[in-house]
Amino acid sequence: AKDAGRCGYAFYREELTSVAFERVLLESSMRHGLDRQEFVLNYQPQIDMRTGKIHGVEVLVRWEHPDMGLLGPMKFIPAAEELGLIIPLGEWILRTALSRAKAWCEQGHHCGVISVNASAVELQQRNYADRVIAVLDEIGFDPKFFELEVTEGLFLGEFELAAKSLRRLQDYGVAIAIDDFGTGYSSLSYLKRLPIDRLKIDRSFVQDIPGDENDVAITRAVISMAASLQLKVTAEGVETEVQRDFLLGEGCDIAQGYLFARPMPEQEFLFWLENHTPL
Ligand code: C2E
Ligand code: CA
Ligand code: CA
Ligand code: CA
């Protein structure tokens, strides 16, 4: 038993060391990645299902890693958050997304509201709202066409700090959406303590409707609660016509998902915009 213990301990230490080592590598490659413009943005349309027209577009980051290939955000956002690199990365994402959207608008494209994901770590920055507003001003972007998606993870940190930033942004004209709604903590209590414009129903609830009766019940409850609180709703991860019809029938009109379009690099997105014919 003693040997096993010692063995287990040694194994644990070895693992820790290699994790720490990987972190150092990741940190320097992420810093370089930012300098070398290895991060790219994809754009996924959000559709008004009543008309089939585009309502907005969500910005989703990817990393074109020179050795590891194309990395999805789940592979590097958590590390970026831990290392504090989400701050410069987040600012790059915001600035790039807004300046591209401004350019599309000037080229005569209509793409509605641009939604950017904000990490809970970014929202723990004391000057977060000021920095976002500075970028909006610098680019000359109308805040009415900008939405910030925040997750419930936000409320594990300093709640009042984040709430204050969100209030300042909302006062400035920015819309606030709660992402992955229903998957996090204390969903209901903060609905009245926070400036919120929209709830995004998490894909995990949408994917099994209308077959799973619990998911049907949850989805219905979120839609009707949003209506009574005068919040807007977006359904995430809509992949089938059956899901679309169900959501429309329940009064949810905005949706996003592979049924309509996948997240796309800029050129493909613009091609989609030009060739998209509403229902
Ligand atoms: P999210 O904000 O919930 O984004 C939606 C995710 O669902 C995206 O994954 C999108 O590609 C995927 N998706 C969209 N429609 C469908 C569908 O019909 N079916 C399925 N199976 N998936 C669908 P992605 O791009 O891998 O992003 C994962 C998460 O990474 C995001 O979840 C968000 O939390 C985070 N993330 C992405 N971009 C950023 C960013 O710029 N900043 C921050 N802080 N987080 C980001
Ligand atoms: Ca999101
Ligand atoms: Ca989501
Ligand atoms: Ca998510």
Side-chain angles (χ1 to χ4, degrees):
K2 231 178 197 170
D3 276 358
R6 210 178 291 144
C7 200
Y9 177 67
F11 176 71
Y12 178 65
R13 274 196 46 182
E14 197 174 289
E15 199 170 57
L16 256 190
T17 312
S18 81
V19 165
F21 182 66
E22 269 172 31
R23 272 295 137 87
V24 173
L25 280 184
L26 189 61
E27 178 168 9
S28 75
S29 95
M30 217 180 272
R31 283 190 195 285
H32 280 117
L34 261 175
D35 293 342
R36 295 179 190 146
Q37 314 265 5
E38 289 166 9
F39 291 92
V40 290
L41 299 182
N42 275 11
Y43 304 93
Q44 185 178 35
Q46 299 174 327
I47 303 291
D48 185 335
M49 297 188 286
R50 292 166 309 177
T51 59
K53 286 187 183 150
I54 188 166
H55 162 82
V57 49
E58 179 173 6
V59 176
L60 296 156
V61 69
R62 275 97 183 87
W63 185 5
E64 284 176 352
H65 195 280
D67 310 319
M68 292 185 279
L70 190 65
L71 301 178
M74 301 319 286
K75 289 248 167 66
F76 62 87
I77 293 279
E81 288 176 334
E82 258 178 71
L83 296 165
L85 289 172
I86 192 69
I87 306 301
L89 179 61
E91 184 147 347
W92 177 85
I93 292 166
L94 181 69
R95 180 170 279 112
T96 307
L98 293 182
S99 47
R100 295 322 300 146
K102 175 116 197 267
W104 305 335
C105 194
E106 286 166 355
Q107 290 157 19
H109 293 290
H110 169 77
C111 48
V113 176
I114 185 133
S115 295
V116 171
N117 292 285
S119 151
V121 174
E122 290 178 89
L123 270 145
Q124 289 299 314
Q125 299 284 298
R126 207 158 288 280
N127 60 352
Y128 182 69
D130 291 331
R131 285 181 24 241
V132 171
I133 290 170
V135 174
L136 285 161
D137 288 352
E138 175 194 316
I139 293 171
F141 198 92
D142 185 346
K144 274 198 224 62
F145 293 100
F146 178 55
E147 181 177 71
L148 213 54
E149 297 191 3
V150 302
T151 58
E152 298 167 77
L154 187 66
F155 313 111
L156 295 175
E158 256 185 82
F159 181 90
E160 270 314 317
L161 189 62
K164 207 173 142 206
S165 291
L166 293 180
R167 257 178 245 124
R168 174 145 161 64
L169 287 165
Q170 196 188 46
D171 287 345
Y172 199 72
V174 174
I176 309 297
I178 300 287
D179 211 346
D180 305 342
F181 184 73
T183 61
Y185 301 89
S186 59
S187 315
L188 299 178
S189 74
Y190 63 64
L191 281 182
K192 56 175 190 183
R193 293 159 63 204
L194 275 180
I196 301 171
D197 299 284
R198 178 178 296 277
L199 302 180
K200 293 192 77 178
I201 306 175
D202 192 63
R203 174 160 59 89
S204 61
F205 302 122
V206 172
Q207 71 190 0
D208 294 325
I209 52 176
D212 183 312
E213 51 187 68
N214 289 326
D215 289 342
V216 166
I218 291 168
T219 303
R220 275 203 179 114
V222 173
I223 295 169
S224 80
M225 185 177 63
S228 35
L229 293 170
Q230 287 170 306
L231 303 175
K232 296 164 189 152
V233 204
T234 299
E236 294 184 331
V238 176
E239 295 183 355
T240 69
E241 282 169 13
V242 178
Q243 290 164 351
R244 178 195 62 198
D245 296 343
F246 174 85
L247 290 161
L248 259 177
E250 295 297 323
C252 168
D253 42 11
I254 309 299
Q256 170 180 358
Y258 296 168
L259 175 64
F260 311 105
R262 293 192 173 243
M264 296 169 275
E266 180 172 12
Q267 289 315 311
E268 199 183 322
F269 169 68
L270 292 176
F271 183 83
W272 181 91
L273 259 188
E274 274 170 22
N275 295 281
H276 173 66
T277 37
L279 306 171

